[in-house]
Amino acid sequence: MPRIFVFAIGGTGARIMRSLGMLLGAGVKLDWEIVPILIDVDKTNGDTVSTEEFLRQYVALRSKTYPAGDSDIAFFSTPMTTLGEIAKDPTMDQFRFPFELTNQKSFRDFIGFDHLSREDSSIMKLLFPDSFFDLDLTGGFYGNPNIGAIGLHMMTQTPQYELFESVFQEGDRVFITSSIFGGTGAAGFPILLKKLNSGDDSNKIKNAKKGALSVLPYFNISPSDGSPIDSNSFMLKTKSALLYYQNQLQGLDHLYYVADTPKAAYDNITSGSGQKNRAHVAELVGAMSIIDFAQTSDPMFTGKTKCFEFVAPNKNEVRDTDIMDFYHFGDKTLLQIQKPLTQVLYLKFIMNILYQKFPQAAWATGLGVTNFRLDPDLSQLIDFTDAFEEWLKELEDNRRSFHPFNLIQLRMIETINDLVVGRLIVSKTLLGKQALSADTFLESLNKSSKGLKAATDGRLRSFLRIASQTVSQIYDKFIV
């Protein structure tokens, strides 16, 4: 299977990778193996660390669900791996490039300022204000792409990058996702693209299809005395970067843009574990650009850069509303994501609510499970659905809010019918209209569990096979 190597640069890149993982876990299927490569100078950045942990969880569940390439389970259908796993090198089995070059170093020490010639030090003083030289780069580039350009240039000279070059095969693709208004992403994107396009015409990477997402400002940060980051500069940085990109982005097939009018300010936390922003609908849209690139067949590429921007249809005055749901999106987007996202919540409902109420149902006794939390594999699945719900809560609690589900309705059997916002849940039968209920789930689960092979397939795979059939049938029958 061909691979798409996704370079996710900085905190924004990590959050978009998290959204992509949620979509793939929910069942959005790609005919590619995804190789996430997280690049962040700040090794303790909360967004990057939590994304890496989630990707590990995805890979573990995927390996247990598809040990032999089964295709009848909706969830985790797209394979994902690391550079180290491809190369069979356990020392490189990680999703992020370690960035030790800046660790415990000021910008002064990083560039070896004290050892520069008089001429070179004079040039550096012209290029950078005095305050820059004492910046501790352990936490990143603090929104300064001019510093980031120097640091990230060295990234392409690391053993990890050399490993990427060695495992890349003809037919593979590359996608780069980054923000344009910070330091790490704005600097890293053009530097990385230039490196990818270097070499002679026989270079597999140079000849590969390449896509990129540039995320324009979509949030602000609160003012903070002494902080090197000021969101008032975001738009100026964006305009400057776009002017540079206009003539410098060579060898790129698809370039996607996404932005939003900032509706709220995040806390001004410059680095570390505290830098963990709530998920935003712009990141969800950004993840869908990777899906669009993956679903574009080779003949559709023209050899010239095509630019795309995501614009929600002006249904229900979406461009002015603080709250979006599924039906503010266009039909293509709705078709891609509504069913997978809904099916995960139905899966969570089955495990957390329905099983607790009906533990002696035929499907449950056939599975041989007495407690989902006591089975290591099923417990890991619960962890995934918990993380998925938390991601949806963050999307809902943010501004602009993405609120496609009434998540509180997951807690009671009587209210599961009202889960999807703005959607009438009803099925027409010979006896009239039928609402979604516990009996609907139980009937489908019991029917799907016939011929269950839990002893040979394992509980996780058996349960997901049963649940996949059930949630798909219920969605197709009741979401009208």
Side-chain angles (χ1 to χ4, degrees), residues 22-127:
M22 294 295 178
L23 292 174
L24 299 183
V28 175
K29 181 173 175 53
L30 302 179
D31 295 324
W32 300 83
E33 184 172 41
I34 302 299
V35 187
I37 301 173
L38 307 178
I39 298 174
D40 199 332
V41 177
D42 182 5
K43 63 191 302 183
T44 62
N45 180 288
D47 288 319
T48 307
V49 170
S50 62
T51 295
E52 186 173 24
E53 291 173 352
F54 171 73
L55 296 179
R56 290 278 179 202
Q57 184 183 56
Y58 181 103
V59 170
L61 284 166
R62 158 80 193 182
S63 65
K64 295 170 183 176
T65 306
Y66 293 84
D70 298 304
S71 59
D72 59 344
I73 297 174
F75 308 102
F76 314 107
S77 55
T78 298
M80 186 181 293
T81 192
T82 65
L83 291 174
E85 180 63 26
I86 298 170
K88 306 303 178 185
D89 183 350
T91 65
M92 298 283 193
D93 186 20
Q94 52 201 2
F95 284 110
R96 66 187 299 181
F97 274 12
F99 215 102
E100 305 298 338
L101 298 170
T102 60
N103 193 34
Q104 302 298 317
K105 288 185 178 180
S106 66
F107 181 56
R108 176 187 298 275
D109 293 335
F110 180 65
I111 62 175
F113 181 85
D114 294 337
H115 303 287
L116 295 176
S117 66
R118 179 184 298 177
E119 292 79 6
D120 289 343
S121 62
S122 297
I123 291 173
M124 295 301 292
K125 286 183 177 180
L126 286 173
L127 292 174

Side-chain angles (χ1 to χ4, degrees), residues 344-363:
V344 176
L345 295 183
Y346 284 159
L347 177 70
K348 183 178 180 68
F349 170 76
I350 290 170
M351 290 189 293
N352 286 13
I353 304 299
L354 194 70
Y355 171 75
Q356 302 299 326
K357 184 73 172 179
F358 302 100
Q360 300 304 316
W363 71 271

Side-chain angles (χ1 to χ4, degrees), residues 160-465:
Q160 288 75 22
Y161 188 85
E162 292 176 359
L163 182 64
F164 155 69
E165 291 182 315
S166 70
V167 301
F168 195 93
Q169 298 296 317
E170 189 171 349
D172 292 345
R173 295 182 183 179
V174 178
F175 195 95
I176 306 168
T177 176
S178 61
S179 72
I180 202 172
F181 55 95
T184 307
F189 170 31
I191 289 172
L192 178 58
L193 182 61
K194 184 176 181 179
K195 177 65 174 179
L196 293 170
N197 288 322
S198 63
D200 58 34
D201 291 340
S202 65
N203 187 337
K204 295 189 293 289
I205 300 175
K206 181 178 181 179
N207 295 325
K209 300 293 185 292
K210 303 179 190 71
L213 166 70
S214 276
V215 183
L216 282 67
Y218 65 102
F219 64 85
N220 285 328
I221 58 173
S222 302
S224 177
D225 292 340
S227 173
I229 301 178
D230 181 359
S231 57
N232 290 323
S233 67
F234 284 177
M235 193 53 67
L236 178 61
K237 292 177 182 177
T238 297
K239 291 179 179 179
S240 299
L242 287 173
L243 286 172
Y244 178 80
Y245 289 2
Q246 185 175 1
N247 298 311
Q248 299 298 323
L249 299 183
Q250 306 299 321
L252 193 63
D253 294 281
H254 279 189
L255 177 57
Y256 299 83
Y257 292 103
V258 64
D260 192 19
T261 303
K263 297 280 186 177
Y266 294 164
D267 291 338
N268 196 328
I269 300 174
T270 58
S271 62
S273 59
Q275 195 176 62
K276 193 173 182 181
N277 297 336
R278 291 192 300 270
H280 192 283
V281 66
E283 296 154 10
L284 172 63
V285 170
M288 288 190 287
S289 71
I290 303 174
I291 293 170
D292 182 81
F293 175 74
Q295 293 176 339
T296 302
S297 61
D298 282 355
M300 297 298 291
F301 293 101
T302 64
K304 297 181 179 180
T305 303
K306 281 187 176 181
C307 296
F308 303 84
E309 61 180 3
F310 186 92
V311 180
N314 199 17
K315 296 187 294 186
N316 302 329
E317 297 181 345
V318 63
R319 295 175 193 147
D320 298 319
T321 185
D322 281 348
I323 303 175
M324 296 175 64
D325 57 44
F326 280 129
Y327 307 103
H328 291 104
F329 285 136
D331 293 340
K332 179 182 177 181
T333 303
L334 193 64
L335 186 64
Q336 279 186 325
I337 69 172
Q338 185 181 31
K339 183 174 182 178
L341 299 188
T342 305
Q343 288 183 156
V344 176
L345 295 183
Y346 284 159
L347 177 70
K348 183 178 180 68
F349 170 76
I350 290 170
M351 290 189 293
N352 286 13
I353 304 299
L354 194 70
Y355 171 75
Q356 302 299 326
K357 184 73 172 179
F358 302 100
Q360 300 304 316
W363 71 271
T365 56
L367 193 63
V369 62
T370 56
N371 188 315
F372 275 86
R373 274 295 181 194
L374 295 180
D375 183 288
D377 293 342
L378 292 173
S379 179
Q380 203 168 25
L381 182 62
I382 290 179
D383 289 340
F384 165 75
T385 61
D386 287 347
F388 186 85
E389 185 181 6
E390 176 59 31
W391 173 67
L392 288 173
K393 285 180 179 177
E394 291 176 20
L395 288 168
E396 179 182 333
D397 291 342
N398 214 330
R399 292 182 59 201
R400 166 179 333 255
S401 170
F402 180 54
H403 182 205
F405 299 106
N406 295 308
L407 293 173
I408 191 66
Q409 311 301 14
L410 279 174
R411 303 294 180 263
M412 295 177 287
I413 290 177
E414 296 77 14
T415 58
I416 191 62
N417 195 67
D418 300 318
L419 178 65
V420 182
V421 170
R423 191 50 113 195
L424 175 65
I425 310 297
V426 66
S427 176
K428 295 180 181 179
T429 69
L430 293 176
L431 300 177
K433 293 182 179 180
Q434 174 189 355
L436 181 58
S437 66
D439 289 341
T440 315
F441 278 91
L442 291 171
E443 180 181 349
S444 182
L445 286 165
N446 291 337
K447 184 177 180 180
S448 299
S449 67
K450 292 181 179 179
L452 183 66
K453 299 179 181 178
T456 55
D457 285 353
R459 288 195 183 99
L460 176 65
R461 292 176 65 206
S462 296
F463 171 66
L464 283 176
R465 186 171 284 117

